[in-house]
Amino acid sequence: MRRAEHAFIASGDAASALLAMAAIVDCHYCEWNDFAPLKRLTQTMLGRLRSLDPNAMPAEKELVIRSRILLGLYLTDLEAPDFQDNLREVLDILPCCTSESEQLAAGTIALHCLNWCDAAGARNLIVALSHLIDSDAIAPAHKVSWARAALYRHQLDGDRDAAERMVERMRGLASEDGVQHLRFHVQFRIGVQQLARRDLAAARATLDQVRTLMNPQRKLEVAYQKLLEAVYLLQGGDHGKARKTAEEAHAAGDMLPAMRYQLKLLVAFCAAHMADWEAASRWAADAVSHAYGRDKDIANDACLMLSAYRHASHGEAMQASACLQALLASQRQKGLSLDLYIASFPGISGPLLSLAMRERIESDFARRLILLHRLPPTDRSNAQWPWPVTVRALGRLELTVQGEQKNPAGKAQQRPMALLKALLAAGPEGAAQTLLARRLWPEAADAKPALHVTVHRLRKLLGHESAVLVRRGIVMLGEDCVWTDVDALAAVCERIERASPAAETSVLRQYSHELLDLYRGAFCDGDEESWMMPLRDGMRTRFLGAVGQLGLRLEKLGEWILAQQLYGRALKAEPLGEAIYRGLMRCACAQNDPAGAHSIYRQCRQTLSIVLGRTPSVETERLFIDLGLGTRG
């Protein structure tokens, strides 16, 4: 090609010389290794093109030359002043080209560039040229290259269905002759899609194929393989090995400007999973400094994502919420795309979107992201998460399926509802089939067939096959599908018990709201089955213990009004909680309201006498005296 270029120059045929140089660009791209020589080559091509009369050159030849100049700039110098001009020229010439093959080849180059700088333009180009993938006049290699670039756009947009369709198309194309050199890239992009849906078994098999197809002499293929493996390891929980692999990917792929910042962010996310915040911040900042154009905005948003996660991990709720607000507003308003990061790093995106739902930060947008990427819940206590099924059993039982409240009545629903209550009582671990059979059909000699039918009917009632699971003789509610206030209360009480002694008032206030929103009364209030009573008493005791812990900590901080509000709302749910009355008495006296404290004492005494037939405890009577209330009438 070099000899041909020189021969054409010697003969004065500059246009043919440029076509030879365009072929050299293609060779470098196919080799996928060292792009450094392209920078000088591209500038030489630009200089020679300017010396030609554009009107004297056929559209097809100009498209070949300009698209390869564009490819050279994309691979070596994204901030070159000629980049955007050549991109516009390529897009303008595309409709004028009569060769479908060259249209798709040049369109693929333009799509790579638009994926980097203009998402809307990329989507429009996909619509305009996707019909060419069905043309018999186009070589399979061009089709595969186009499909790979289009798939990347769908992945960036989080368009799961379009991405899956393109994956299937690529599988078919990859089996044809003439695409052997592209099979590595096909499998890589398929692996990215599998990891985006967190299908580790499929990704493992694809990763094996990628290793087999990889040419170790091509550094960028090594970088892509390492990138895929790092994300696979991260999702599998091997954070240390994932970070080492991500650093190897960065070392191999640092030569490509469009990829450099992504590899730096990959290392940053791996470091964040290991709670190495200093390294995560350093790598993320370095990614921003090496990002160009629209990628810089995406890198800045990725930094916000990591900052929000760091603050949330440290219990710094206000700072985490502020970062999260800025991140989600930016993503929604600018139409930026962190979808691949959200899908591929659920260990970070899941807790952040859970926080967004809990704090009602861009909650509609956060809900859309959760559903789009089918993220598993990370916090069993978060009722704001878009659960397919929610069950409230503290107080009167309430059942909601896909946002619609159900009122299962009639004899046909008695057994499924009885099973639901039994599974609520069993908790996340579930209950043995034999226990459930005895509890629901105590008179039956063999109740397993009846239980099997009832499980099926409960699944139908809840609208999801995964709502009720049976594993090794244990029946349980699906933890990714069903939210229950019973499990949520246990989770909140555990957080309260483990709360740092230095926890801020805002954290204690949040715990108070969560606790009181969950506990609306006794478990399955109104049902009197004997097996429920121990569970009902245990939940009541744990709730009152959590209220007492929070109240005493708020009193210690001098947050008397907040403590009084906590005790007051708790008393409505548990009017026999004697410790709550004592808390209210202390709060009233601390606010110089002894009359109020005395009134609370009288209310306590009257309620205990009427309901339980007893007087207040020694502890309550002692507090009554210590607060100086004994002298009042």
Side-chain angles (χ1 to χ4, degrees), residues 300-313:
N300 277 318
D301 276 5
C303 287
L304 275 175
M305 187 174 174
L306 291 168
S307 295
Y309 182 63
R310 183 184 74 245
H311 289 305
S313 299

Side-chain angles (χ1 to χ4, degrees), residues 385-540:
W385 187 269
W387 301 92
V389 180
T390 62
V391 186
R392 290 186 176 273
L394 297 171
R396 292 285 180 178
L397 193 143
E398 294 178 1
L399 172 62
T400 304
V401 178
Q402 297 291 15
E404 179 183 350
Q405 190 161 343
K406 299 286 186 179
N407 186 23
K411 189 174 181 180
Q413 300 294 356
Q414 287 180 0
R415 289 297 184 189
M417 290 303 293
L419 176 59
L420 176 60
K421 292 171 186 176
L423 293 176
L424 289 169
E429 294 78 19
Q433 290 175 303
T434 51
L435 173 64
L436 292 171
R438 287 198 307 269
R439 179 168 291 172
L440 298 179
W441 295 274
E443 307 300 327
D446 181 11
K448 281 189 177 181
L451 177 61
H452 178 77
V453 171
T454 305
V455 166
H456 173 73
R457 289 170 60 194
L458 180 56
R459 285 171 175 158
K460 187 175 180 180
L461 174 65
L462 300 182
H464 292 270
E465 192 70 18
S466 59
V468 185
L469 306 176
V470 181
R471 294 172 179 165
R472 298 178 182 176
I474 303 295
V475 186
M476 67 193 77
L477 294 172
E479 62 177 12
D480 289 348
C481 183
V482 182
W483 177 88
T484 77
D485 56 359
V486 175
D487 292 346
L489 179 69
V492 170
C493 288
E494 185 176 343
R495 286 211 303 272
I496 292 170
E497 291 159 5
R498 293 188 288 104
S500 165
E504 299 175 354
T505 301
S506 60
V507 175
L508 300 179
R509 180 185 289 109
Q510 178 64 36
Y511 287 160
S512 300
H513 290 323
E514 291 179 31
L515 186 66
L516 296 170
D517 287 345
L518 288 169
Y519 195 88
R520 301 170 303 143
F523 175 72
C524 292
D525 197 14
D527 290 340
E528 300 302 329
E529 284 88 343
S530 59
W531 61 265
M532 289 185 180
M533 299 309 164
L535 176 67
R536 186 175 289 172
D537 290 342
M539 288 183 181
R540 178 179 182 273

Side-chain angles (χ1 to χ4, degrees), residues 309-631:
Y309 182 63
R310 183 184 74 245
H311 289 305
S313 299
H314 289 159
E316 298 163 350
M318 291 181 64
Q319 297 93 323
S321 294
C323 290
L324 197 51
Q325 176 72 60
L327 168 65
L328 293 178
S330 172
Q331 286 283 296
R332 178 179 56 78
Q333 293 166 4
K334 298 179 184 177
L336 299 175
S337 183
L338 281 181
D339 285 279
L340 270 178
Y341 294 92
I342 292 169
S344 301
F345 305 121
I348 290 177
S349 60
L352 289 182
L353 290 173
S354 181
L355 175 62
M357 295 301 297
R358 183 187 297 282
E359 297 295 323
R360 293 173 171 80
I361 299 170
E362 298 279 349
S363 52
D364 288 342
F365 183 60
R367 181 181 292 105
R368 185 181 74 79
L369 292 174
I370 292 167
L371 295 175
L372 176 67
H373 299 295
R374 302 175 192 176
L375 293 175
T378 59
D379 180 1
R380 296 289 302 158
S381 69
N382 190 353
Q384 304 305 318
W385 187 269
W387 301 92
V389 180
T390 62
V391 186
R392 290 186 176 273
L394 297 171
R396 292 285 180 178
L397 193 143
E398 294 178 1
L399 172 62
T400 304
V401 178
Q402 297 291 15
E404 179 183 350
Q405 190 161 343
K406 299 286 186 179
N407 186 23
K411 189 174 181 180
Q413 300 294 356
Q414 287 180 0
R415 289 297 184 189
M417 290 303 293
L419 176 59
L420 176 60
K421 292 171 186 176
L423 293 176
L424 289 169
E429 294 78 19
Q433 290 175 303
T434 51
L435 173 64
L436 292 171
R438 287 198 307 269
R439 179 168 291 172
L440 298 179
W441 295 274
E443 307 300 327
D446 181 11
K448 281 189 177 181
L451 177 61
H452 178 77
V453 171
T454 305
V455 166
H456 173 73
R457 289 170 60 194
L458 180 56
R459 285 171 175 158
K460 187 175 180 180
L461 174 65
L462 300 182
H464 292 270
E465 192 70 18
S466 59
V468 185
L469 306 176
V470 181
R471 294 172 179 165
R472 298 178 182 176
I474 303 295
V475 186
M476 67 193 77
L477 294 172
E479 62 177 12
D480 289 348
C481 183
V482 182
W483 177 88
T484 77
D485 56 359
V486 175
D487 292 346
L489 179 69
V492 170
C493 288
E494 185 176 343
R495 286 211 303 272
I496 292 170
E497 291 159 5
R498 293 188 288 104
S500 165
E504 299 175 354
T505 301
S506 60
V507 175
L508 300 179
R509 180 185 289 109
Q510 178 64 36
Y511 287 160
S512 300
H513 290 323
E514 291 179 31
L515 186 66
L516 296 170
D517 287 345
L518 288 169
Y519 195 88
R520 301 170 303 143
F523 175 72
C524 292
D525 197 14
D527 290 340
E528 300 302 329
E529 284 88 343
S530 59
W531 61 265
M532 289 185 180
M533 299 309 164
L535 176 67
R536 186 175 289 172
D537 290 342
M539 288 183 181
R540 178 179 182 273
T541 299
R542 194 164 193 189
F543 167 71
L544 293 175
V547 169
Q549 282 184 280
L550 282 175
L552 289 173
R553 292 184 67 166
L554 290 169
E555 291 179 43
K556 189 175 181 180
L557 291 171
E559 296 285 348
W560 298 105
I561 295 176
L562 186 57
Q564 190 174 39
Q565 292 171 346
L566 168 67
Y567 291 134
R569 284 190 60 190
L571 191 63
K572 291 180 180 178
E574 279 295 342
L576 299 179
E578 194 173 347
I580 298 175
Y581 289 103
R582 291 197 292 270
L584 285 168
M585 290 164 63
R586 290 192 298 270
C587 289
C589 284
Q591 296 175 83
N592 298 315
D593 184 13
H598 198 277
S599 176
I600 292 163
Y601 169 76
R602 288 201 306 271
Q603 180 186 351
C604 172
R605 185 166 185 163
Q606 184 178 16
T607 302
L608 293 177
S609 175
I610 293 172
V611 179
L612 300 179
R614 69 173 179 84
T615 59
S617 66
V618 172
E619 189 175 356
T620 301
E621 296 290 5
R622 185 182 299 119
L623 178 65
F624 178 75
I625 295 171
D626 291 345
L627 293 175
L629 303 177
T631 58

